[in-house]
């Protein structure tokens, strides 16, 4: 937000759109999920809202000036983004141990790489270390996933349920 970091209109706009899309996904999830799953996600959302409210309160009450506010929010954003980009590490380990990409979706890996790359380029131009560091790591993580996909795609034993159709096979061969 502008009271945290000035000249952040592009970041606020893009993340606002992302927040709207995420709320849409949550609404669809709540419509089609059963009670225990709704309860679990509601608890996570409640905890997240409380933590966000605490962050806003601390930032606006105790930190004066955009430099101090940017540092706190930036460090927390770096931690969260690194955690997000590191989450596929367990799947990458599974791909290496099984020599199979069955459980690592190609398009998710591609989106991870593209998202990290675009934000890395933006942060490099603006030299914003709070965006640069996690998205540089995200670009690296996405590149490693794509390399693993290219390396182990042919050794993957697709069963009937997980077997891609011929169009997906051709698309993946064209993009790799």
């Amino acid at each position: 937000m502008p009271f945290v970091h000035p000249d952040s209109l592009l970041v606020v706009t893009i993340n606002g759109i992302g927040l709207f899309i995420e709320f849409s996904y949550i609404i669809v999830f709540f419509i089609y999920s059963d009670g225990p799953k709704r309860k679990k996600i509601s608890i996570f959302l409640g905890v997240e809202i409380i933590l966000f409210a605490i962050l806003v309160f601390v930032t606006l009450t105790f930190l004066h000036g955009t430099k101090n506010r940017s540092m706190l929010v930036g460090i927390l954003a770096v931690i969260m983004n690194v955690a997000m980009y590191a989450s596929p590490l367990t799947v990458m380990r599974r791909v290496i141990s099984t020599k199979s990409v069955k459980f690592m979706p190609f398009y998710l890996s591609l989106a991870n790489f593209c998202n990290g790359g675009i934000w890395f380029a933006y942060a490099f131009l603006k030299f914003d270390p709070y965006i640069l560091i996690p998205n540089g790591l995200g670009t690296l993580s996405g590149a490693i996933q794509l390399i693993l996909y290219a390396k182990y795609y042919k050794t993957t034993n697709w069963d009937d349920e997980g077997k891609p159709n011929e169009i997906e096979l051709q698309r993946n061969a064209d993009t790799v």
Side-chain angles (χ1 to χ4, degrees):
M1 299 306 294
F3 52 82
V4 173
H5 187 75
D7 193 32
S8 59
L9 181 64
L10 181 62
V11 175
V12 170
T13 303
I14 291 170
N15 284 307
I17 293 168
L19 184 65
F20 174 76
I21 292 169
E22 187 64 32
F23 279 141
S24 301
Y25 288 143
I26 291 170
I27 289 169
V28 169
F29 175 81
F30 277 120
I31 290 171
Y32 292 104
S33 66
D34 59 0
K37 290 180 183 175
R38 284 186 199 149
K39 183 178 179 182
K40 181 179 177 182
I41 295 301
S42 296
I43 291 169
F44 280 122
L45 286 173
V47 169
E48 192 172 335
I49 290 168
I50 290 168
L51 291 174
F52 181 74
I54 291 169
L55 175 64
V56 169
F57 176 75
V58 168
T59 302
L60 295 179
T61 305
F62 300 111
L63 300 174
H64 303 290
T66 56
K67 185 176 180 180
N68 292 331
R69 291 174 179 171
S70 292
M71 185 165 42
L72 174 67
V73 173
I75 289 170
L76 290 173
V78 166
I79 292 168
M80 292 291 133
N81 281 318
V82 167
M84 177 192 72
Y85 282 125
S87 63
L89 288 175
T90 57
V91 174
M92 288 190 272
R93 183 179 68 205
R94 188 173 185 183
V95 167
I96 293 168
S97 67
T98 63
K99 297 183 178 6
S100 170
V101 295
K102 187 187 305 186
F103 302 104
M104 187 172 72
F106 174 76
Y107 291 113
L108 186 60
S109 300
L110 181 64
N112 185 18
F113 175 73
C114 292
N115 182 57
I118 290 168
W119 278 109
F120 179 79
Y122 168 80
F124 188 76
L125 293 173
K126 299 279 280 186
F127 196 70
D128 187 339
Y130 302 121
I131 299 174
L132 186 74
I133 293 168
N135 288 292
L137 293 172
T139 304
L140 180 64
S141 169
I144 292 169
Q145 289 175 56
L146 292 174
I147 290 167
L148 288 174
Y149 203 92
K151 181 175 181 176
Y152 294 117
Y153 181 77
K154 290 185 179 182
T155 61
T156 300
N157 184 15
W158 301 98
D159 60 6
D160 291 338
E161 281 184 27
K163 188 173 185 178
N165 61 35
E166 291 300 315
I167 295 171
E168 289 175 359
L169 286 172
Q170 184 60 41
R171 272 193 221 140
N172 289 342
D174 292 341
T175 57
V176 176

